[in-house]
Amino acid sequence: MSQLRVTVWNEGIHESTKDPAGMPEYYPNGIHGAIATGIGEHLPDATVRTALLSYPEHGLTETVLEATDVLLWWGHKAHAQVDDEVVEQVRRHVLGGMGLLVLHSGHFSKIFTRLLGTTCSLSWRNAAEREVLWTVDPTHPIADGIPNPVVIPEQETYGEFFDIPTPDELVFISSFTGGEVFRSGATFRRGRGRIFYFSPGDERYPVYNQPEIQRILANGIRWVAQPGLPRTIPTVSNPSRDWFRTQD
Amino acid sequence: MSQLRVTVWNEGIHESTKDPAGMPEYYPNGIHGAIATGIGEHLPDATVRTALLSYPEHGLTETVLEATDVLLWWGHKAHAQVDDEVVEQVRRHVLGGMGLLVLHSGHFSKIFTRLLGTTCSLSWRNAAEREVLWTVDPTHPIADGIPNPVVIPEQETYGEFFDIPTPDELVFISSFTGGEVFRSGATFRRGRGRIFYFSPGDERYPVYNQPEIQRILANGIRWVAQPGLPRTIPTVSNPSRDWFRTQD
Amino acid sequence: MSQLRVTVWNEGIHESTKDPAGMPEYYPNGIHGAIATGIGEHLPDATVRTALLSYPEHGLTETVLEATDVLLWWGHKAHAQVDDEVVEQVRRHVLGGMGLLVLHSGHFSKIFTRLLGTTCSLSWRNAAEREVLWTVDPTHPIADGIPNPVVIPEQETYGEFFDIPTPDELVFISSFTGGEVFRSGATFRRGRGRIFYFSPGDERYPVYNQPEIQRILANGIRWVAQPGLPRTIPTVSNPSRDWFRTQD
Amino acid sequence: MSQLRVTVWNEGIHESTKDPAGMPEYYPNGIHGAIATGIGEHLPDATVRTALLSYPEHGLTETVLEATDVLLWWGHKAHAQVDDEVVEQVRRHVLGGMGLLVLHSGHFSKIFTRLLGTTCSLSWRNAAEREVLWTVDPTHPIADGIPNPVVIPEQETYGEFFDIPTPDELVFISSFTGGEVFRSGATFRRGRGRIFYFSPGDERYPVYNQPEIQRILANGIRWVAQPGLPRTIPTVSNPSRDWFRTQD
């Protein structure tokens, strides 16, 4: 298997503002650093780079996107600061075949709401509750090797109604101590690209250090990646002629 | 709107064996009687009849099926005693356009597993736990007027993995005190018929007396019913010629 | 049944440019006029208004949208001229519960691509070929009373691959003389709204005068309309709190 | 990649009755032989065996099924002669994780209708018409390397309505000279198993000798195969306890 090229994007606001104050204890290299470390342990064939909002073009230049098989997106406080042109360029790469993993509060990111078309709103509250994550599609590759259930000792509570289009595949459903349920792992195909949304992971709890969660991210990366697929990016001027040309 | 003809089927074993002993307190007319009463209160245009396993042909003769727009199925202890020929005749009516509501432990009934093709197995345990039922498709007609969530104070615990084909529509997801989640309300189209599976409702707890649950059953009946549709029953000898003739 | 309030939107360019020259013969009142006439004949309980690109705010003011249960969209030459703010306001009404029918070349409209997230590109060529439209979901309300197949003597040829998300329901598939196939009738749920895309209908052929096509449009309007549903429009500042409040 | 163990099942009636008389010219080793040859050319890591209706237990003993990753099913004249116990045993293996490809007239086989629950009827006629097969899911692994469209010079005409549950994925749609359309390639997940139905292929036309068709079959085998998945067969006596134990 050839190298899998992964880019982990983080807005980096919790890191730069040192809020929450305790985060460096469990995420000494930031949220993106923790995610990247977990991927490295579970995907030895992956090369992982990270990118931040503060980088030029948020670190998502055309050169980077062309060299990215799978992009992970973590954002929370700064969705509005993400440049619309970068979002559009990312969207075009996803439609052209790049895999996308959207994490936790990334449900409100411009790239996710732009690709899905809905508000992607949900209910939330934070009470350090236990999340229990259940597999409802046990032979899906993303669930491979994942115990059923996975218990996350403390996590922000997300709840339905989650305003998304009906997923192509529903892989995980979570419950929380307060009784909420949430469709916590779902896949979507858009254009030539694959998308996996996965809700666990918050700046206040060391969820990305948990091996089962790392394994799910690794499985998700493997599933959205299509390394043999030529990237075919739609053009603005003539989307229908240039678009699925490789199929014609 | 013309009369909606509803048949509530119950195996009637908990009633005949007086097990659980306390059931007559909350279901004095049996499980089928409680369901029928609830339907009558929420669907004034419905005529409701009941049928039991102990009746000739289990009360599901060709005459009854022809005069049934929607059949509700409650079974638990006696799935194996249901005659295969009756099951096949019910299946043919569903494929021909009769609506079907499968309730609670009816997930293991012959008619449900025969129509879905899978084992329809699930996890269960009984600890009188609180079930919290959430709407995940808020504009679905079956969710009309239903508060989100509905709390059921005590109920048997059902849990994933629920071995069903991917539902055509997922309407409700439940959580339980112990942390389990369950796809508790789901629809399936099979042939010309519509099916709604709804899991709340157990012989040990007065769930069918709860107004929100009654309203969901009423909505479900309305949704699976196709009163204007000519019943077109496939024949054994020539399914393809006789089958969708009304479309041809 | 209360009045159904329908707005037929047309860019109106083929009318204003008198191209094709022969169009006034079969569409003397424009494409929107023909559509509106057909709706009136099949939906006696509907009040139908029309709106054009050239109107202030394209005729889609907040007042009009609030008083619209179902919006039909016909566009072809002037997608780029539709104001982004109007598109966003229409989108918010759809997400809040307004029904939307997107017709023919409207597949490339801003409102459709914005709601679906993909390019919505397809293959096309024009050779006045016969389109044969088949029902693949015969008990869907949109197919009610529709012969199988419907033959359209002359029509522009649309072909796969049609770059849309997997539809929630696929109702019609068409073939063309040249051998092309096309998913010509498909439904999508987005937020609280329902969308029906229907491809037959072109400025060069009198497709909207054909009674079966009119009946499909009428069925589609009935299906996407949710007249009893309170319109709940997401706000920019706080989408998640104001959004599904009626469910909470 | 480890060996992929494939079993090609054929009822063998067209071979034994020498009807059609010309079949030995294009299928000298029978339909099963042609299919097996094509697989061998496109899947060098596969070991292919064949089995016929006339074998003891139709060649589908427990030993064979345990050693089969993917079963292909070709039947036409003798569906009723297939033993119900064998069908049930095959079904249990599919639910336990064995892949299944159902071919052409196998839509009416006991195994397919038993797994899907519907009649699986369709329209058909035979006029040696051209079938044009289009990919509607161009990045699906089953479509990998397949030209769009594939033209089959002569084939039996299959047409909608095809009475199947909504497929999990629709990969191919075909048109025919007479104007019919047909959902000719569709996937279904049932239990732990994957199913691919593919309609081209008839005893009167050498469809299985066509390289693109062979490639689709090879892709389909690869897609339904789950070689690393432990086979977990549901038991009759206690389906829910023994069933998804490996996930618990």
Side-chain angles (χ1 to χ4, degrees):
Chain A
M1 193 171 294
S2 66
Q3 286 291 104
L4 204 55
R5 302 163 302 170
V6 178
T7 300
V8 179
W9 191 88
N10 178 13
E11 58 175 35
I13 304 293
H14 290 292
E15 290 79 1
S16 64
T17 60
K18 301 190 195 308
D19 172 28
M23 196 174 82
E25 289 178 35
Y26 44 88
Y27 290 157
N29 300 311
I31 295 169
H32 52 295
I35 292 170
T37 299
I39 295 169
E41 287 174 12
H42 288 82
L43 289 178
D45 59 325
T47 53
V48 185
R49 78 172 86 193
T50 58
L52 296 173
L53 178 70
S54 58
Y55 291 12
E57 297 184 44
H58 311 323
L60 300 173
T61 62
E62 181 64 19
T63 308
V64 168
L65 292 173
E66 278 175 0
T68 297
D69 293 311
V70 177
L71 175 65
L72 289 86
W73 193 276
W74 200 100
H76 180 208
K77 293 288 186 190
H79 294 314
Q81 297 173 39
V82 179
D83 188 81
D84 285 338
E85 284 189 30
V86 172
V87 172
E88 182 58 17
Q89 195 59 8
V90 171
R91 186 177 81 98
R92 291 159 61 75
H93 273 273
V94 173
L95 295 179
M98 183 176 73
L100 179 68
L101 250 80
V102 176
L103 299 170
H104 190 57
S105 43
H107 69 90
F108 261 155
S109 64
K110 288 182 178 178
I111 183 61
F112 193 56
T113 56
R114 183 67 189 84
L115 279 161
L116 295 198
T118 57
T119 66
C120 301
S121 66
L122 48 79
S123 288
W124 78 89
R125 58 187 177 78
N126 182 32
E129 291 192 344
R130 177 202 64 186
E131 176 172 357
V132 186
L133 182 126
W134 298 87
T135 298
V136 296
D137 190 353
T139 56
H140 196 288
I142 296 180
D144 183 46
I146 306 303
N148 200 10
V150 173
V151 177
I152 303 171
E154 292 186 323
Q155 167 70 343
E156 184 183 16
T157 298
Y158 272 19
E160 297 285 343
F161 173 68
F162 185 19
D163 178 30
I164 49 173
T166 299
D168 288 317
E169 297 162 320
L170 182 59
V171 185
F172 302 115
I173 298 175
S174 290
S175 72
F176 296 84
T177 312
E180 280 90 346
V181 298
F182 192 71
R183 287 171 288 172
S184 46
T187 75
F188 306 88
R189 287 179 183 79
R190 290 297 181 273
R192 296 166 65 83
R194 294 177 173 196
I195 304 169
F196 176 51
Y197 174 77
F198 186 62
S199 65
D202 184 85
E203 69 278 6
R204 287 161 291 199
Y205 311 105
V207 174
Y208 295 125
N209 295 337
Q210 194 166 331
E212 303 100 317
I213 301 299
Q214 294 173 341
R215 174 74 186 262
I216 291 172
L217 293 188
N219 288 347
I221 290 167
R222 191 79 81 197
W223 188 82
V224 300
Q226 302 180 90
L229 188 77
R231 185 75 49 89
T232 313
I233 298 180
T235 64
V236 168
S237 59
N238 194 344
S240 85
R241 297 297 163 89
D242 293 347
W243 181 223
F244 275 86
R245 177 172 285 169
T246 53
Q247 268 69 41
D248 291 344
Chain B
M1 191 172 294
S2 64
Q3 285 291 104
L4 204 55
R5 301 164 302 170
V6 178
T7 300
V8 179
W9 190 89
N10 180 13
E11 58 175 35
I13 304 295
H14 290 293
E15 289 79 0
S16 64
T17 60
K18 302 189 193 305
D19 173 28
M23 197 175 82
E25 289 178 34
Y26 43 90
Y27 289 157
N29 301 311
I31 295 169
H32 52 295
I35 293 170
T37 299
I39 295 169
E41 287 175 11
H42 289 81
L43 289 179
D45 59 323
T47 52
V48 185
R49 78 172 88 194
T50 57
L52 296 173
L53 178 70
S54 58
Y55 291 11
E57 297 184 47
H58 311 322
L60 300 172
T61 61
E62 181 63 19
T63 307
V64 168
L65 293 173
E66 280 175 1
T68 296
D69 294 311
V70 177
L71 175 66
L72 289 86
W73 193 276
W74 201 98
H76 180 208
K77 292 290 187 190
H79 295 314
Q81 298 173 39
V82 179
D83 188 81
D84 285 339
E85 285 189 29
V86 172
V87 172
E88 182 59 16
Q89 194 60 7
V90 171
R91 186 177 81 98
R92 291 159 61 75
H93 272 274
V94 173
L95 296 179
M98 183 177 71
L100 179 68
L101 251 79
V102 176
L103 299 170
H104 191 58
S105 43
H107 70 90
F108 261 155
S109 64
K110 288 182 178 177
I111 183 61
F112 193 57
T113 57
R114 182 66 189 85
L115 279 162
L116 295 197
T118 58
T119 66
C120 301
S121 66
L122 48 80
S123 287
W124 79 88
R125 59 187 177 78
N126 182 33
E129 291 192 344
R130 178 202 63 186
E131 175 172 358
V132 186
L133 182 127
W134 299 86
T135 298
V136 297
D137 190 352
T139 56
H140 196 289
I142 296 180
D144 182 46
I146 305 303
N148 199 8
V150 172
V151 178
I152 303 171
E154 291 186 323
Q155 166 71 341
E156 183 182 16
T157 298
Y158 273 18
E160 296 284 342
F161 174 67
F162 184 19
D163 177 31
I164 49 174
T166 298
D168 289 315
E169 297 160 321
L170 181 60
V171 185
F172 302 115
I173 298 176
S174 291
S175 73
F176 295 84
T177 312
E180 279 90 346
V181 299
F182 192 71
R183 288 171 287 173
S184 46
T187 75
F188 306 88
R189 287 180 184 77
R190 290 297 181 272
R192 296 165 66 82
R194 294 177 170 195
I195 304 169
F196 176 50
Y197 174 78
F198 186 61
S199 64
D202 184 84
E203 70 278 6
R204 285 160 293 197
Y205 311 105
V207 175
Y208 294 126
N209 295 338
Q210 195 166 332
E212 304 99 316
I213 301 300
Q214 293 172 341
R215 174 76 186 261
I216 292 172
L217 294 189
N219 288 346
I221 289 167
R222 190 79 81 197
W223 188 82
V224 301
Q226 302 180 91
L229 189 76
R231 186 73 52 86
T232 313
I233 299 180
T235 64
V236 168
S237 59
N238 195 344
S240 85
R241 298 294 164 92
D242 294 347
W243 182 223
F244 275 87
R245 177 172 286 170
T246 53
Q247 267 69 40
D248 289 347
Chain C
M1 193 171 293
S2 65
Q3 285 290 103
L4 204 56
R5 301 165 302 170
V6 177
T7 300
V8 178
W9 190 89
N10 178 13
E11 59 175 33
I13 303 295
H14 290 293
E15 289 81 359
S16 64
T17 60
K18 302 189 194 306
D19 173 28
M23 197 175 80
E25 289 178 35
Y26 43 90
Y27 291 156
N29 300 310
I31 295 170
H32 52 296
I35 293 171
T37 299
I39 295 169
E41 287 175 12
H42 289 80
L43 289 179
D45 59 323
T47 52
V48 185
R49 78 172 88 195
T50 58
L52 296 173
L53 178 70
S54 57
Y55 291 11
E57 297 184 45
H58 311 324
L60 299 173
T61 62
E62 181 63 19
T63 307
V64 168
L65 293 173
E66 279 174 1
T68 297
D69 294 312
V70 177
L71 176 66
L72 289 86
W73 194 276
W74 201 98
H76 180 208
K77 292 289 185 191
H79 295 314
Q81 297 173 40
V82 179
D83 188 80
D84 286 337
E85 285 188 31
V86 172
V87 172
E88 182 59 15
Q89 195 60 7
V90 171
R91 187 179 79 99
R92 291 159 61 75
H93 273 273
V94 173
L95 296 179
M98 184 176 72
L100 179 68
L101 251 80
V102 176
L103 299 171
H104 192 57
S105 43
H107 71 90
F108 261 155
S109 65
K110 288 182 178 178
I111 183 61
F112 193 57
T113 56
R114 182 67 188 85
L115 279 162
L116 296 198
T118 56
T119 67
C120 301
S121 65
L122 48 80
S123 287
W124 78 90
R125 59 186 177 79
N126 182 34
E129 290 192 345
R130 178 202 62 186
E131 175 172 359
V132 186
L133 182 125
W134 298 87
T135 298
V136 296
D137 190 351
T139 56
H140 195 289
I142 296 180
D144 182 45
I146 305 304
N148 199 10
V150 173
V151 178
I152 302 171
E154 292 186 322
Q155 166 70 342
E156 184 183 16
T157 298
Y158 272 18
E160 297 284 344
F161 173 70
F162 185 18
D163 178 31
I164 49 173
T166 299
D168 288 317
E169 297 161 321
L170 182 60
V171 184
F172 301 115
I173 298 175
S174 290
S175 73
F176 296 83
T177 312
E180 279 89 346
V181 298
F182 192 69
R183 288 171 288 173
S184 47
T187 75
F188 305 88
R189 288 179 184 78
R190 290 298 181 270
R192 295 165 66 80
R194 295 177 172 195
I195 304 168
F196 175 51
Y197 174 78
F198 185 62
S199 65
D202 184 84
E203 70 278 6
R204 287 161 291 197
Y205 311 105
V207 175
Y208 295 125
N209 295 338
Q210 194 166 333
E212 304 99 316
I213 300 300
Q214 294 173 341
R215 174 76 186 260
I216 292 172
L217 293 188
N219 288 346
I221 289 168
R222 191 79 80 197
W223 188 82
V224 300
Q226 302 180 89
L229 188 77
R231 186 73 50 87
T232 312
I233 299 180
T235 64
V236 168
S237 60
N238 195 344
S240 85
R241 297 295 163 92
D242 293 347
W243 182 223
F244 275 87
R245 178 172 286 168
T246 52
Q247 268 69 43
D248 289 346
Chain D
M1 191 171 295
S2 65
Q3 285 290 105
L4 203 55
R5 302 163 303 170
V6 177
T7 300
V8 179
W9 191 89
N10 178 12
E11 58 175 33
I13 303 294
H14 291 293
E15 290 80 359
S16 64
T17 60
K18 302 189 194 306
D19 173 28
M23 195 174 83
E25 288 177 35
Y26 43 90
Y27 290 157
N29 300 310
I31 295 169
H32 53 294
I35 294 170
T37 299
I39 295 169
E41 286 174 13
H42 289 81
L43 289 179
D45 58 325
T47 52
V48 185
R49 79 172 86 193
T50 58
L52 296 172
L53 178 71
S54 58
Y55 291 11
E57 298 184 43
H58 311 322
L60 299 173
T61 62
E62 181 64 19
T63 306
V64 168
L65 293 172
E66 279 174 1
T68 297
D69 293 311
V70 176
L71 175 66
L72 289 86
W73 193 277
W74 201 99
H76 180 208
K77 292 288 187 191
H79 295 314
Q81 298 173 39
V82 179
D83 188 80
D84 285 338
E85 285 189 30
V86 172
V87 172
E88 182 59 16
Q89 194 59 8
V90 172
R91 187 178 80 98
R92 292 158 61 75
H93 272 273
V94 173
L95 295 179
M98 182 176 74
L100 179 69
L101 252 80
V102 176
L103 299 170
H104 191 56
S105 43
H107 70 90
F108 261 155
S109 65
K110 288 182 179 180
I111 184 60
F112 193 56
T113 57
R114 182 66 189 87
L115 279 162
L116 296 198
T118 57
T119 66
C120 301
S121 64
L122 48 81
S123 287
W124 79 89
R125 59 187 178 78
N126 182 33
E129 292 193 343
R130 177 203 64 186
E131 176 172 358
V132 186
L133 181 126
W134 298 87
T135 298
V136 296
D137 190 351
T139 56
H140 195 289
I142 295 180
D144 183 46
I146 305 303
N148 198 10
V150 173
V151 177
I152 303 171
E154 292 186 324
Q155 167 69 343
E156 184 184 16
T157 298
Y158 272 17
E160 299 283 345
F161 174 68
F162 185 19
D163 177 31
I164 49 174
T166 298
D168 288 316
E169 296 161 321
L170 182 60
V171 185
F172 302 115
I173 298 176
S174 290
S175 73
F176 295 83
T177 311
E180 279 90 345
V181 298
F182 193 70
R183 289 171 287 173
S184 47
T187 74
F188 306 87
R189 288 179 183 78
R190 290 297 181 272
R192 297 165 65 83
R194 295 177 172 196
I195 303 168
F196 175 50
Y197 174 78
F198 186 62
S199 64
D202 184 86
E203 70 278 6
R204 287 160 291 197
Y205 311 105
V207 175
Y208 295 125
N209 295 338
Q210 195 166 330
E212 304 99 317
I213 301 300
Q214 294 173 341
R215 175 74 186 263
I216 291 172
L217 293 188
N219 287 347
I221 290 168
R222 192 78 81 197
W223 188 83
V224 301
Q226 302 179 88
L229 188 76
R231 186 73 51 89
T232 312
I233 298 179
T235 65
V236 168
S237 59
N238 194 344
S240 85
R241 298 295 163 90
D242 293 347
W243 182 221
F244 275 86
R245 178 172 285 168
T246 52
Q247 267 69 40
D248 291 344

PDB file of all heavy atoms in Angstrom, chain A residues 51-62:
ATOM      1  N   ALA A  51      -2.045  21.758   9.910  1.00  0.00           N
ATOM      2  CA  ALA A  51      -2.216  23.115   9.387  1.00  0.00           C
ATOM      3  C   ALA A  51      -3.135  23.868  10.340  1.00  0.00           C
ATOM      4  O   ALA A  51      -4.000  23.271  10.977  1.00  0.00           O
ATOM      5  CB  ALA A  51      -2.808  23.085   7.981  1.00  0.00           C
ATOM      6  N   LEU A  52      -2.918  25.168  10.423  1.00  0.00           N
ATOM      7  CA  LEU A  52      -3.674  25.999  11.369  1.00  0.00           C
ATOM      8  C   LEU A  52      -4.311  27.183  10.642  1.00  0.00           C
ATOM      9  O   LEU A  52      -3.825  27.626   9.587  1.00  0.00           O
ATOM     10  CB  LEU A  52      -2.760  26.526  12.477  1.00  0.00           C
ATOM     11  CG  LEU A  52      -2.134  25.489  13.411  1.00  0.00           C
ATOM     12  CD1 LEU A  52      -1.119  26.160  14.341  1.00  0.00           C
ATOM     13  CD2 LEU A  52      -3.199  24.779  14.236  1.00  0.00           C
ATOM     14  N   LEU A  53      -5.353  27.703  11.248  1.00  0.00           N
ATOM     15  CA  LEU A  53      -6.028  28.898  10.750  1.00  0.00           C
ATOM     16  C   LEU A  53      -5.057  30.048  10.506  1.00  0.00           C
ATOM     17  O   LEU A  53      -5.194  30.809   9.538  1.00  0.00           O
ATOM     18  CB  LEU A  53      -7.090  29.316  11.780  1.00  0.00           C
ATOM     19  CG  LEU A  53      -7.908  30.569  11.516  1.00  0.00           C
ATOM     20  CD1 LEU A  53      -8.879  30.340  10.358  1.00  0.00           C
ATOM     21  CD2 LEU A  53      -8.681  30.997  12.766  1.00  0.00           C
ATOM     22  N   SER A  54      -4.056  30.169  11.389  1.00  0.00           N
ATOM     23  CA  SER A  54      -3.150  31.322  11.336  1.00  0.00           C
ATOM     24  C   SER A  54      -2.145  31.242  10.189  1.00  0.00           C
ATOM     25  O   SER A  54      -1.468  32.221   9.888  1.00  0.00           O
ATOM     26  CB  SER A  54      -2.397  31.431  12.662  1.00  0.00           C
ATOM     27  OG  SER A  54      -1.686  30.222  12.910  1.00  0.00           O
ATOM     28  N   TYR A  55      -2.016  30.104   9.543  1.00  0.00           N
ATOM     29  CA  TYR A  55      -1.084  29.969   8.429  1.00  0.00           C
ATOM     30  C   TYR A  55      -1.606  30.761   7.228  1.00  0.00           C
ATOM     31  O   TYR A  55      -2.815  30.980   7.114  1.00  0.00           O
ATOM     32  CB  TYR A  55      -0.938  28.497   8.011  1.00  0.00           C
ATOM     33  CG  TYR A  55      -0.237  27.589   8.970  1.00  0.00           C
ATOM     34  CD1 TYR A  55       0.061  27.959  10.290  1.00  0.00           C
ATOM     35  CD2 TYR A  55       0.121  26.296   8.566  1.00  0.00           C
ATOM     36  CE1 TYR A  55       0.690  27.078  11.162  1.00  0.00           C
ATOM     37  CE2 TYR A  55       0.755  25.418   9.435  1.00  0.00           C
ATOM     38  CZ  TYR A  55       1.025  25.816  10.728  1.00  0.00           C
ATOM     39  OH  TYR A  55       1.650  24.933  11.576  1.00  0.00           O
ATOM     40  N   PRO A  56      -0.727  31.145   6.309  1.00  0.00           N
ATOM     41  CA  PRO A  56      -1.209  31.745   5.057  1.00  0.00           C
ATOM     42  C   PRO A  56      -2.172  30.784   4.364  1.00  0.00           C
ATOM     43  O   PRO A  56      -1.896  29.571   4.294  1.00  0.00           O
ATOM     44  CB  PRO A  56       0.075  31.940   4.237  1.00  0.00           C
ATOM     45  CG  PRO A  56       1.184  31.967   5.245  1.00  0.00           C
ATOM     46  CD  PRO A  56       0.757  31.078   6.371  1.00  0.00           C
ATOM     47  N   GLU A  57      -3.287  31.325   3.913  1.00  0.00           N
ATOM     48  CA  GLU A  57      -4.369  30.506   3.330  1.00  0.00           C
ATOM     49  C   GLU A  57      -4.760  29.374   4.279  1.00  0.00           C
ATOM     50  O   GLU A  57      -5.179  28.297   3.843  1.00  0.00           O
ATOM     51  CB  GLU A  57      -3.972  29.935   1.963  1.00  0.00           C
ATOM     52  CG  GLU A  57      -3.709  31.010   0.916  1.00  0.00           C
ATOM     53  CD  GLU A  57      -3.410  30.432  -0.456  1.00  0.00           C
ATOM     54  OE1 GLU A  57      -4.112  29.495  -0.874  1.00  0.00           O
ATOM     55  OE2 GLU A  57      -2.450  30.919  -1.094  1.00  0.00           O
ATOM     56  N   HIS A  58      -4.603  29.630   5.576  1.00  0.00           N
ATOM     57  CA  HIS A  58      -4.923  28.630   6.617  1.00  0.00           C
ATOM     58  C   HIS A  58      -4.133  27.333   6.420  1.00  0.00           C
ATOM     59  O   HIS A  58      -4.543  26.274   6.926  1.00  0.00           O
ATOM     60  CB  HIS A  58      -6.429  28.312   6.650  1.00  0.00           C
ATOM     61  CG  HIS A  58      -7.327  29.509   6.666  1.00  0.00           C
ATOM     62  ND1 HIS A  58      -7.031  30.669   7.357  1.00  0.00           N
ATOM     63  CD2 HIS A  58      -8.530  29.741   6.079  1.00  0.00           C
ATOM     64  CE1 HIS A  58      -8.013  31.552   7.193  1.00  0.00           C
ATOM     65  NE2 HIS A  58      -8.922  31.019   6.423  1.00  0.00           N
ATOM     66  N   GLY A  59      -3.048  27.413   5.693  1.00  0.00           N
ATOM     67  CA  GLY A  59      -2.254  26.200   5.463  1.00  0.00           C
ATOM     68  C   GLY A  59      -2.858  25.262   4.444  1.00  0.00           C
ATOM     69  O   GLY A  59      -2.377  24.142   4.277  1.00  0.00           O
ATOM     70  N   LEU A  60      -3.910  25.714   3.773  1.00  0.00           N
ATOM     71  CA  LEU A  60      -4.606  24.845   2.816  1.00  0.00           C
ATOM     72  C   LEU A  60      -4.467  25.401   1.402  1.00  0.00           C
ATOM     73  O   LEU A  60      -5.450  25.633   0.703  1.00  0.00           O
ATOM     74  CB  LEU A  60      -6.080  24.703   3.229  1.00  0.00           C
ATOM     75  CG  LEU A  60      -6.273  24.089   4.612  1.00  0.00           C
ATOM     76  CD1 LEU A  60      -7.740  24.143   5.028  1.00  0.00           C
ATOM     77  CD2 LEU A  60      -5.751  22.650   4.653  1.00  0.00           C
ATOM     78  N   THR A  61      -3.234  25.581   0.993  1.00  0.00           N
ATOM     79  CA  THR A  61      -2.975  26.056  -0.362  1.00  0.00           C
ATOM     80  C   THR A  61      -3.320  24.971  -1.367  1.00  0.00           C
ATOM     81  O   THR A  61      -3.485  23.793  -1.019  1.00  0.00           O
ATOM     82  CB  THR A  61      -1.484  26.396  -0.518  1.00  0.00           C
ATOM     83  OG1 THR A  61      -0.738  25.183  -0.302  1.00  0.00           O
ATOM     84  CG2 THR A  61      -1.039  27.443   0.481  1.00  0.00           C
ATOM     85  N   GLU A  62      -3.415  25.392  -2.591  1.00  0.00           N
ATOM     86  CA  GLU A  62      -3.680  24.427  -3.659  1.00  0.00           C
ATOM     87  C   GLU A  62      -2.630  23.309  -3.652  1.00  0.00           C
ATOM     88  O   GLU A  62      -2.953  22.129  -3.844  1.00  0.00           O
ATOM     89  CB  GLU A  62      -3.697  25.165  -5.007  1.00  0.00           C
ATOM     90  CG  GLU A  62      -3.979  24.310  -6.203  1.00  0.00           C
ATOM     91  CD  GLU A  62      -5.366  23.681  -6.184  1.00  0.00           C
ATOM     92  OE1 GLU A  62      -6.250  24.154  -5.445  1.00  0.00           O
ATOM     93  OE2 GLU A  62      -5.539  22.672  -6.879  1.00  0.00           O
TER      94      GLU A  62
END
